[in-house]
Amino acid sequence: MSLAGLPLSLIVSGPFNQWQLLFQSNHQPIHTGWILIGVNMCGVIGSSLSGIIMKHFNKLATLILLSVIMTFTTLLSVSINSTWLAVMFFLLHVLATSLDEVFRYTMLHNVIIGDNRNTLISFNNTINAGATLIALSLNGWLSDTYSIKFAWGALSIAGEILALAGYFWILIYVKNKSNKVNFH
């Protein structure tokens, strides 16, 4: 399950690190302080919703839906000409990302039990850090070579394809071979 989430770093690395550059690139007066307040509020709301959603919905289906929402909102943020509408979709992206992160780590902590729990969680965090490093490098190169909008769009599509492949693997392989992990 941890590996299926690695491609999400491709979807979130650009928006997480470059949102101010994207929204100020049109040389329009953008009040980043207000956007940052929105980012923080959406982060809190997303984090708060994860517990409620975890109790009432299929966990794997929720992770799949959240990755689709993150990709879709990223693509809308970079393709809409209205800056404020793009900001609204970006804030929805932040909400979905926060919800996904808390949801994913809660699942990870609930699934991993035993003597090696700390080691496995540390290994997961190390792998995620490596994936983020790769995603940031790709995002930087694509942003410099083409544009921030292109980088966000291309990486979100690539990340979504890879994440869906990981989720598909979980659905097919893990569910058929081992019923040790409960995603319901």
Side-chain angles (χ1 to χ4, degrees), residues 4-54:
L6 291 179
L8 297 178
S9 62
L10 293 171
I11 301 170
V12 301
S13 65
F16 182 73
N17 291 288
Q18 294 177 312
W19 66 269
Q20 293 150 323
L21 294 172
L22 177 76
F23 295 125
Q24 291 180 347
S25 66
N26 297 334
H27 303 291
Q28 297 176 359
I30 299 295
H31 302 286
T32 55
W34 289 108
I35 297 172
L36 189 55
I37 290 170
V39 165
N40 289 322
M41 287 176 52
C42 288
V44 169
I45 293 167
S47 298
S48 300
L49 288 175
S50 77
I52 296 166
I53 291 175
M54 186 169 273

